[in-house]
Amino acid sequence: RRAPHKGNDLHIKLDLSFEQAIFGAEKQFDIQRVEKCPDCHGIGSEPGTNPEKCPSCNGNGEVRRVQQSVFGRFVHSSQCSQCRGEGTIISKPCPKCRGNGRQKVKRTLTVTVPPGIDENYQMRMRDEGESGIYGGSAGNLYISFSIAAHDLFTRNGNDLLYELPINFAQAALGDEVEIPTIEDAISLKI
């Protein structure tokens, strides 16, 4: 009851170009998450009012029933059906969140992608998940990446590979062949 609960963690996948993965980038993205209602500040009641103590359980959140039998006294505890174990009742709910204290919000966030990441890399943005309940901390946002293939280069760990199309005579004679750099390849694609 009313103990602080950490908010849920969120997971998203961002698409990166090959160049963004190699050189790093700043990437903006939109996310939908649950946040504390700005009108009632997470209380759930209409601004200017407070939740009231539940009359059924006297604010305990549970109802006890005592039964006497030939074997002795038995005490049964169950969650209060009127306040659903909360101990309080909201008589005037907040019109914005309908008494929930939280609502879904769309946010635009920016992440700095470090140079040289690969698809196995996962980033954590602390406290950018859903907001906590009853004053609990926010969850985290975990970002994984999907990297697009490149027309000329492939990647093997930290190495960039380029398959050079030469014939046997060029290889045997050791002719000088021009190999494009990644910067050249980027300018060629534009």
Side-chain angles (χ1 to χ4, degrees):
R1 266 185 354 104
R2 294 262 177 206
H5 294 290
K6 182 180 178 190
N8 292 331
D9 291 336
L10 297 176
H11 301 268
I12 63 161
K13 192 167 202 162
L14 284 181
D15 295 325
L16 297 177
S17 69
F18 191 81
E19 294 81 6
Q20 288 173 325
I22 298 297
F23 298 115
E26 275 205 359
K27 193 93 169 153
Q28 275 194 342
F29 58 95
D30 292 331
I31 188 166
Q32 282 239 321
R33 65 183 179 193
V34 175
E35 291 184 0
K36 196 183 293 186
C37 176
D39 287 2
C40 68
H41 305 289
I43 295 172
S45 61
E46 190 175 273
T49 64
N50 287 318
E52 301 164 0
K53 189 191 302 187
C54 176
S56 294
C57 65
N58 201 27
N60 292 323
E62 66 180 19
V63 179
R64 293 180 177 210
R65 291 180 181 82
V66 180
Q67 282 185 326
Q68 188 71 33
S69 75
V70 291
F71 300 110
R73 236 170 96 180
F74 291 97
V75 179
H76 297 281
S77 294
S78 62
Q79 180 177 316
C80 177
S81 60
Q82 190 170 358
C83 68
R84 288 185 233 114
E86 296 290 322
T88 57
I89 295 174
I90 298 172
S91 57
K92 294 181 181 178
C94 172
K96 190 163 192 168
C97 66
R98 297 185 194 127
N100 190 14
R102 303 184 328 152
Q103 61 182 14
K104 271 203 181 257
V105 177
K106 183 178 178 180
R107 294 280 181 222
T108 301
L109 301 175
T110 303
V111 64
T112 301
V113 179
I117 72 163
D118 62 13
E119 291 201 1
N120 299 332
Y121 189 80
Q122 187 178 56
M123 288 182 72
R124 178 181 71 172
M125 293 181 76
R126 186 182 289 291
D127 297 332
E128 291 295 345
E130 294 188 340
S131 71
I133 302 171
Y134 307 128
S137 62
N140 297 319
L141 173 64
Y142 292 93
I143 306 169
S144 55
F145 299 94
S146 175
I147 300 170
H150 194 273
D151 294 341
L152 301 175
F153 294 96
T154 56
R155 191 168 165 193
N156 184 7
N158 288 333
D159 298 326
L160 287 178
L161 305 176
Y162 174 70
E163 190 171 320
L164 184 62
I166 60 171
N167 60 34
F168 182 75
Q170 289 174 311
L173 296 174
D175 287 348
E176 197 171 297
V177 179
E178 187 175 326
I179 300 173
T181 65
I182 188 87
E183 287 84 5
D184 294 337
I186 292 169
S187 64
L188 288 174
K189 284 180 74 176
I190 294 175

